[in-house]
Amino acid sequence: MKNYKTQMEAAKKGIITPAMKTVAQKENLDVNKLISLVACGQVAIPANINHQSLSAEGVGTGLKTKINVNLGVSGDCKDYQVELEKVKLSLKFGAEAIMDLSNYGKTNTFRKQLIELSPAMIGTVPMYDAIGYLEKDLLDITPEDFMRVVRAHAEEGVDFMTIHAGINRRAVETFKRDGRRTNIVSRGGSLLFAWMEMTGNENPFYEYYDDFLDILREFDVTISLGDALRPGCLDDSSDASQLSELIELGHLTKRAWAKDVQVMVEGPGHMSMDEIAANMILQKKLCHNAPFYVLGPLVTDVAPGYDHITAAIGGAIAAANGADFLCYVTPAEHLRLPDINDVKDGIIATKIAAHAADIAKGIPNARDWDNKMSDARRQIDWDTMFELAIDSEKAKTYFESTPPEEKHSCSMCGKMCALRTTNLIIEGKDVIFRTES
């Protein structure tokens, strides 16, 4: 019988868990080094005891940058079969996490199916599910009701939950006093703000924080401390609302660790490029080097339809400067629920950002993939290039759409391919462009 409840408790006791062995192998990291990082909270291994299909991943200091895919139904898009196709696509392209953000009807059937089939870690935002699950108006929901939803998600096998515990009455007063261009853009944060204002009560996730932690500890669920007051436009970034909540999240991080509950801290949504590095340093300082999970950040507000690009730019900068976990953003952001093509574009853009940041951070062996691609390009080995590409199918389709006359080139340069020219000279051959008629 195991004598620990959570990965953090095991690490503090020097116990190597099966999840730790899996993560250490994936990261090519000494398991004893990993134990020390989990014990002090710098690495989280979200691994609910009821998620039997999980292939554990680590998030945090010294590890590869992970990506998350958001999906789930809404009142306007209720087709769970479409969401399952998105799940399969996410797994195909190597997303390490999937968050079910369904907010319509009884969502637990889909969530149980998702947990059963997915080796990726699964996250939820219980606040989203509360109204549909409880079949109550927001004003009528009690703290005990919120607790019921959190327990239900934990029992089902959810590995991490976004809980907006930092938007307490102090943070709300700061927000109301200072004002904002876009106010609150967090869906869960806005619902809690509305509940607090309508009832006159403290945020139940803050007031009864220890009770929620007890539930999470029971099932080894990692708490992802949500940033209800994240900036929703460039003009709101790094303001008093964002930073006052971040200070609260730092206190809540230590309280969770005291109960051996693993923590991730969520970060900004919209932010100009020159502010990102400083925000990463500040977050790590205020939240005691807990793993940092960012949405984007989106580096401009004027690109609807292309926000997978604005987010990838910000995500690469954020991860290169300390963020550990990137939430994907799709071209549909701000416009609609993403379709399967949007999901693919969002995943690929975020994978590129994460990998680019791993190279910049000096993650061991991160550059090896690029070196293999460079060797294949030097050798003009198309099959290997396609195999190594993040999106092999797209690379091959592009190449074959306009086939070159000269097989050791592409249709852009043909026989004038720089690599072909150099290879021929190094091999002692002449470069000939015209053939005898």
Side-chain angles (χ1 to χ4, degrees):
M1 181 176 178
K2 69 178 188 179
N3 58 343
Y4 62 89
K5 278 282 190 182
T6 71
Q7 299 295 319
M8 176 171 258
E9 183 184 3
K12 289 177 179 177
K13 292 179 176 179
I15 298 170
I16 299 173
T17 68
M20 291 177 196
K21 290 179 181 178
T22 298
V23 172
Q25 184 176 20
K26 286 183 177 182
E27 301 285 345
N28 195 26
L29 182 68
D30 180 79
V31 72
N32 293 306
K33 173 64 174 175
L34 180 62
I35 285 176
S36 67
L37 291 168
V38 174
C40 72
Q42 291 192 39
V43 165
I45 303 177
N48 188 310
I49 59 174
N50 290 334
H51 188 176
Q52 301 302 314
S53 63
L54 177 69
S55 178
E57 297 284 354
V59 181
T61 301
L63 307 186
K64 288 178 282 190
T65 306
K66 307 305 186 299
I67 79 160
N68 170 70
V69 170
N70 290 339
L71 44 79
V73 300
S74 70
D76 293 311
C77 299
K78 311 179 186 69
D79 191 338
Y80 277 116
Q81 193 56 46
V82 171
E83 299 312 297
L84 281 173
E85 291 304 311
K86 295 177 186 177
V87 171
K88 293 174 185 176
L89 184 73
S90 302
L91 298 176
K92 173 183 175 181
F93 283 101
E96 291 87 5
I98 297 171
M99 290 195 79
D100 174 20
L101 304 187
S102 297
N103 59 38
Y104 177 83
K106 296 298 184 183
T107 61
N108 59 331
T109 300
F110 171 69
R111 191 160 48 250
K112 288 176 181 176
Q113 190 175 5
L114 174 61
I115 291 166
E116 183 178 346
L117 70 86
S118 175
M121 50 188 168
I122 302 302
T124 59
V125 186
M127 188 68 206
Y128 293 178
D129 197 27
I131 296 171
Y133 178 88
L134 298 167
E135 296 182 330
K136 288 185 176 183
D137 285 330
L138 182 61
L139 181 60
D140 297 326
I141 299 176
T142 67
E144 292 74 22
D145 288 331
F146 287 125
M147 216 165 290
R148 280 174 53 206
V149 178
V150 169
R151 176 168 286 278
H153 284 213
E155 289 175 347
E156 288 164 9
V158 170
D159 301 298
F160 65 98
M161 293 185 203
T162 293
I163 292 180
H164 300 91
I167 182 171
N168 57 21
R169 298 208 67 82
R170 287 193 299 273
V172 166
E173 286 306 313
T174 300
F175 160 70
K176 290 167 67 176
R177 181 186 66 238
D178 289 9
R180 271 186 158 185
R181 187 173 292 275
T182 53
N183 292 323
I184 297 174
V185 299
S186 161
R187 181 165 46 182
S190 68
L191 292 171
L192 276 170
F193 170 71
W195 186 92
M196 293 165 69
E197 291 295 292
M198 288 190 298
T199 64
N201 295 329
E202 179 59 277
N203 176 356
F205 292 107
Y206 179 80
E207 185 173 4
Y208 302 101
Y209 186 61
D210 287 330
D211 295 322
F212 285 105
L213 290 177
D214 288 340
I215 297 172
L216 302 183
R217 184 179 190 277
E218 183 179 347
F219 297 92
D220 197 4
V221 178
T222 298
I223 187 169
S224 188
L225 289 168
D227 51 341
L229 296 173
R230 67 175 179 266
C233 69
L234 300 189
D235 203 45
D236 292 338
S237 65
S238 307
D239 69 354
S241 294
Q242 178 197 338
L243 298 179
S244 66
E245 183 184 33
L246 185 60
I247 292 168
E248 296 291 351
L249 298 183
H251 293 304
L252 294 172
T253 295
K254 296 186 80 171
R255 286 174 60 184
W257 286 345
K259 285 181 172 280
D260 297 326
V261 174
Q262 299 182 102
V263 177
M264 298 187 292
V265 179
E266 299 186 13
H270 293 237
M271 183 167 286
S272 64
M273 289 192 294
D274 60 309
E275 294 181 43
I276 294 173
N279 266 263
M280 300 306 106
I281 295 168
L282 186 62
Q283 185 280 334
K284 287 284 187 174
K285 179 73 173 177
L286 291 176
C287 295
H288 321 291
N289 289 314
F292 197 25
Y293 176 24
V294 297
L295 176 66
L298 281 69
V299 296
T300 180
D301 298 327
V302 297
Y306 297 90
D307 276 328
H308 59 311
I309 297 173
T310 66
I313 294 168
I317 297 170
N321 286 279
D324 307 290
F325 194 15
L326 302 181
C327 185
Y328 91 151
V329 173
T330 77
E333 184 77 6
H334 303 111
L335 301 171
R336 68 172 189 199
L337 191 78
D339 65 20
I340 196 159
N341 292 320
D342 298 324
V343 169
K344 179 181 176 182
D345 287 346
I347 292 171
I348 297 298
T350 312
K351 291 286 283 188
I352 292 168
H355 179 62
D358 286 348
I359 295 169
K361 286 192 287 192
I363 297 295
N365 308 121
R367 196 185 288 262
D368 291 354
W369 185 7
D370 298 76
N371 288 342
K372 289 176 183 177
M373 177 64 86
S374 298
D375 289 340
R377 283 180 173 153
R378 184 188 72 249
Q379 296 158 8
I380 318 179
D381 180 351
W382 293 107
D383 289 338
T384 301
M385 282 187 259
F386 300 147
E387 182 182 336
L388 289 168
I390 285 181
D391 185 352
S392 300
E393 293 171 8
K394 184 170 186 176
K396 189 172 184 179
T397 298
Y398 266 52
F399 175 76
E400 292 179 346
S401 65
T402 311
E405 180 181 339
E406 166 58 53
K407 70 176 183 177
H408 293 299
S409 67
C410 74
S411 58
M412 173 175 263
C413 297
K415 289 185 178 181
M416 292 181 66
C417 170
L419 292 169
R420 174 182 179 273
T421 297
T422 306
N423 289 343
L424 286 171
I425 294 300
I426 289 174
E427 291 167 10
K429 300 175 182 177
D430 292 335
V431 177
I432 299 173
F433 294 112
R434 295 179 178 82
T435 56
E436 295 292 333
S437 59

